[in-house]
Amino acid sequence: MNLLISHLRNLYISRALTPTELVKQLDAEIGTEDSHHIWIRRLNLNELLLYTQQLEGKDPANFPLYGIPFAIKDNIDLAGIPTTAGCAEYAYTPTKSATVVQKLIDAGAIPIGKTNLDQFATGLVGTRSPYGACKNSINPEYISGGSSAGSAVSVALGMASFSLGTDTAGSGRVPAAFNNLVGHKPTCGLLSTLGVVPACRTLDCVSIFAKSSDDALLVLQSAQGFDADDAYSRQTPANVMSNLGNHFIFGVPKPEQLAFFGNSETPILFKQAIQKIEKIGGKAIEIDFSPFLETAQLLYEGPWVAERYAAIREFFDSKPEAIFPVTKQIIGNAEKFSAADTYTALYKLKALQRKAEAVWSNVDIIITPTAGTIYTIAEVEDNPIQTNTNLGYYTNFMNLLDLTAVAVPMGFQSNGLGFGVTICAPAFSDDALLNLANRL
């Protein structure tokens, strides 16, 4: 079934399709088998029909997402459905949906279910889940990318028009690259995180997966908005840039600062991506990427791992046996950091932010691979920490430096697996990046 938002909207407006007909067909097509380990809790048909009943008889033109099916990462609340964060023992059933979910439902979107994730959103691999390792949509021997694993795969396999993930270290971008999707990591605070289980609350943001940048932009516009009840919500400044124009300058890391981790094909695909961006009006210049790389190291090697512990401290201390082993190892590292270490790291981050600011005086955007390579599930299980670290090489700095980013598909390797690049820019450049992605 073609689930592009524009296609479904045309069917609804012409009365060739109703939301009830859509969910009945979609429910039958998804079926009960879940060989990719996508779902933690999929809504049954009766639950889906409760949402369609609220739409029937209403004018589709009044709802930007009328009858559009979407999936929700299971660390984001949907009223009446348990939120597990990838841990059954942690589960609770919210009475209210997360602000961002409610905004989408109010815009006409229909939630299909809650998706699998790296437990407590800790990981970029999609294998750290007691609900099973989420498999790549193209080749199930490979990882889906995480932590927003099931959210990405649900869209890639045609089970939802779009999905919500979260992105603290790259979880809205790596799964997009591995499943040939657009993945948007919004400006922190642009989408409310009220009703989202925190990973690092000061850095978390809700992310969007879609088949096209047009779809991602429409979802973003429907989901965003200041939330006075969310202490980390931000007002969008006036006169933000919405388009880069026909000529722009993009930064590319120096060759010695690029890393592809032994993959012989992705360097070629990255060069081709640069050429494609040049053809639409971009001028490439080399930049010193070191401030970004040094910032990336702070996220898991510094005291921000203690923020992950703070988010689930009571549960972690009382039920450590319920934590997935690798997740427990990572979050358990929090104990080695002192309050003084935190301030030392904050001072270092401030210095790196100043260095990174200098780069933006010369470029409009920066282009990197989204991930230098991809691994099989077996490779990740053999070396779970290092493989995950490699996948965060181009992603872990983003929220610490208050950037926004879009992961864009940019071709395939000879084994059929996808490759993508990430376009990033300073905060509140969201519309401009998605409009550029559309041109690619």
Side-chain angles (χ1 to χ4, degrees):
M1 186 189 308
N2 182 349
L3 294 182
L4 282 174
I5 295 176
S6 58
H7 175 72
L8 291 180
R9 282 190 62 77
N10 288 336
L11 292 177
Y12 288 138
I13 290 171
S14 68
R15 306 298 181 181
L17 181 70
T18 68
T20 296
E21 290 169 342
L22 175 113
V23 299
K24 286 181 177 179
Q25 183 178 344
L26 192 57
D27 180 69
E29 288 185 3
I30 295 174
T32 57
E33 186 181 354
D34 188 15
S35 60
H36 282 74
H37 301 140
I38 296 168
W39 303 101
I40 289 179
R41 169 67 157 83
R42 192 165 75 79
L43 273 64
N44 61 44
L45 183 56
N46 288 333
E47 291 169 328
L48 294 172
L49 292 176
L50 292 175
Y51 287 96
T52 66
Q53 288 168 7
Q54 299 173 30
L55 295 171
E56 299 293 2
K58 295 182 178 178
D59 187 352
N62 294 331
F63 298 85
L65 297 176
Y66 181 92
I68 304 301
F70 74 108
I72 305 166
K73 185 176 181 177
D74 197 21
N75 62 340
I76 305 173
D77 289 348
L78 174 63
I81 303 297
T83 299
T84 71
C87 181
E89 292 86 348
Y90 178 82
Y92 63 91
T93 301
T95 57
K96 291 176 58 178
S97 293
T99 300
V100 65
V101 171
Q102 191 59 54
K103 279 180 169 287
L104 294 169
I105 292 172
D106 291 345
I110 301 171
I112 300 298
K114 306 295 291 297
T115 58
N116 199 4
L117 66 153
D118 281 325
Q119 191 179 74
F120 295 112
T122 301
L124 291 172
V125 289
T127 64
R128 300 172 178 176
S129 171
Y131 295 92
C134 188
K135 300 177 182 179
N136 187 280
S137 62
I138 300 169
N139 184 334
E141 291 185 6
Y142 283 79
I143 60 172
S144 59
S147 60
S148 310
S151 288
V153 178
S154 67
V155 176
L157 291 181
M159 300 177 182
S161 297
F162 70 92
S163 63
L164 297 181
T166 59
D167 191 315
T168 303
S171 299
R173 291 160 280 155
V174 171
F178 292 170
N179 293 281
N180 198 41
L181 299 172
V182 171
H184 181 49
K185 188 216 78 65
T187 298
C188 287
L190 186 62
L191 273 62
S192 173
T193 54
L194 189 69
V196 178
V197 178
C200 293
R201 193 177 176 210
T202 60
L203 302 176
D204 295 338
C205 64
V206 175
S207 60
I208 298 165
F209 296 102
K211 284 285 185 73
S212 75
S213 54
D214 278 346
D215 281 5
L217 180 57
L218 180 58
V219 173
L220 178 71
Q221 291 168 342
S222 299
Q224 69 186 29
F226 179 72
D227 182 357
D229 293 325
D230 174 10
Y232 289 90
S233 184
R234 298 160 75 181
Q235 296 275 13
T236 302
N239 303 317
V240 295
M241 178 177 63
S242 61
N243 203 305
L244 282 171
N246 294 325
H247 301 285
F248 55 92
I249 298 173
F250 66 97
V252 180
K254 295 176 182 179
E256 63 271 21
Q257 294 174 330
L258 291 167
F260 297 96
F261 308 102
N263 190 315
S264 62
E265 295 186 44
T266 50
I268 298 169
L269 289 168
F270 184 56
K271 288 181 181 179
Q272 292 173 349
I274 292 172
Q275 293 168 355
K276 188 172 184 178
I277 296 167
E278 289 174 329
K279 286 180 181 178
I280 64 168
K283 179 183 178 181
I285 65 170
E286 288 186 2
I287 61 168
D288 180 8
F289 200 51
S290 59
F292 301 87
L293 295 176
E294 288 183 54
T295 302
Q297 293 174 354
L298 290 176
L299 191 61
Y300 278 104
E301 296 176 21
W304 277 270
V305 72
E307 190 172 11
R308 292 181 181 270
Y309 169 66
I312 58 167
R313 172 188 281 184
E314 183 178 343
F315 181 81
F316 189 94
D317 290 345
S318 63
K319 295 186 178 180
E321 72 283 354
I323 312 291
F324 199 76
V326 179
T327 307
K328 181 164 62 176
Q329 177 185 347
I330 292 165
I331 297 177
N333 285 333
E335 65 183 15
K336 69 182 182 183
F337 294 105
S338 67
D341 292 332
T342 300
Y343 281 104
T344 299
L346 286 170
Y347 301 150
K348 183 175 182 180
L349 174 60
K350 201 67 177 176
L352 289 168
Q353 289 171 337
R354 183 57 52 86
K355 289 182 180 179
E357 285 173 8
V359 176
W360 292 110
S361 64
N362 298 316
V363 300
D364 298 304
I365 57 175
I366 292 174
I367 307 291
T368 69
T370 300
T373 192
I374 185 173
Y375 299 104
T376 64
I377 292 173
E379 287 173 325
V380 169
E381 288 175 345
D382 286 344
N383 193 354
I385 301 296
Q386 188 59 52
T387 51
N388 192 92
T389 299
N390 293 349
L391 296 179
Y393 186 86
Y394 299 107
T395 66
N396 285 350
F397 59 83
M398 205 72 70
N399 288 342
L400 286 166
L401 295 179
D402 198 17
L403 306 178
T404 184
V406 180
V408 188
M410 277 290 179
F412 297 89
Q413 301 176 59
S414 60
N415 58 11
L417 292 166
F419 173 78
V421 300
T422 290
I423 313 166
C424 71
F428 298 106
S429 302
D430 301 74
D431 287 12
L433 295 189
L434 285 165
N435 285 323
L436 176 63
N438 187 48
R439 295 165 61 188
L440 294 172

